Amino acid sequence: MKVAVIHSSPNDDGLTAACASAAAEGVREAGGTVDEIRLNDLNVGMCEACGNGWGTCQARHTCQVLDDFQALHARLCNADALMLVTPVYWGEMSESAKALTDRLRRCEATRGGDSCLAGKPVIAVAAAGGSGNGMITCLLSMERWIQHIRARVWDLLPVNRWSRPYKLTAIREAARAMIAEKA
């Protein structure tokens, strides 16, 4: 099973990076392959609501804003499962995660059951450093996104700096369990 582990923090050594590493480790331990994606290393801009507000995404299910999104969209369609790991900023996903999820939603949600992401299991991780606040509201928006693209919520995992030690284990085990289910 090929799992896209999407990491959306600019920090290479913070809480979100540790969560993404735990996710990738769990996938590998269970015999899966990992496509590690660091969103902040890519050029994926925000949705521009082109033309009448939909551009090409509603009719053609492609985004007309040309950047790294097109190749990333294809990588995600080719994955068997997704793990989206984001820091929590003001109770929401990071800006890079929002840019990706907004554009994917516009291209895939309009396809209904024909979405390339339909039925794929998704684990969402909201990593709140600093105050530790906002994990649940962030996960709520991530859950809505998963439902919009017709994927399947496998697990929603909140983590903060106080819960880090046991939540890293939980993230790794969630990844292992997701792979085991598909095996």
Side-chain angles (χ1 to χ4, degrees):
M1 175 182 225
K2 183 177 181 181
V3 180
V5 177
I6 307 157
H7 171 268
S8 67
S9 172
N11 299 322
D12 289 332
D13 62 353
L15 179 60
T16 306
C19 292
S21 291
E25 186 178 308
V27 170
R28 288 186 186 106
E29 287 173 359
T33 59
V34 177
D35 181 6
E36 293 186 64
I37 299 165
R38 283 192 36 83
L39 281 180
N40 290 66
D41 291 344
L42 301 174
N43 177 26
V44 176
M46 61 184 242
C47 175
E48 296 181 11
C50 303
N52 64 355
W54 283 99
T56 58
C57 53
Q58 187 174 33
R60 289 191 227 137
H61 313 294
T62 60
C63 183
Q64 67 191 46
V65 177
L66 299 178
D67 57 17
D68 291 336
F69 174 79
Q70 287 73 21
L72 182 53
H73 188 182
R75 284 170 72 182
L76 298 177
C77 287
N78 288 324
D80 299 307
L82 309 177
M83 294 185 76
L84 176 58
V85 184
T86 183
V88 176
Y89 296 155
W90 306 102
E92 293 291 334
M93 291 181 268
S94 70
E95 286 79 358
S96 60
K98 290 227 7 108
L100 172 66
T101 57
D102 285 347
R103 289 173 70 184
L104 272 173
R105 179 184 353 247
R106 284 184 167 262
C107 291
E108 292 300 323
T110 56
R111 296 179 74 145
D114 291 332
S115 168
C116 72
L117 304 171
K120 292 183 182 184
V122 179
I123 295 174
V125 179
S131 71
N133 295 330
M135 297 177 295
I136 302 307
T137 55
C138 181
L139 286 172
L140 283 170
S141 64
M142 294 171 84
E143 180 183 39
R144 276 193 312 276
W145 171 73
I146 294 166
Q147 293 166 347
H148 289 162
I149 61 170
R150 307 289 194 293
R152 180 169 57 104
V153 174
W154 173 262
D155 205 347
L156 304 170
L157 296 162
V159 59
N160 60 34
R161 57 191 171 128
W162 302 284
S163 64
R164 176 184 175 141
Y166 67 89
K167 288 293 180 104
L168 291 178
T169 300
I171 292 165
R172 190 170 46 258
E173 290 303 313
R176 289 172 56 90
M178 184 173 64
I179 299 298
E181 182 202 49
K182 287 290 192 177

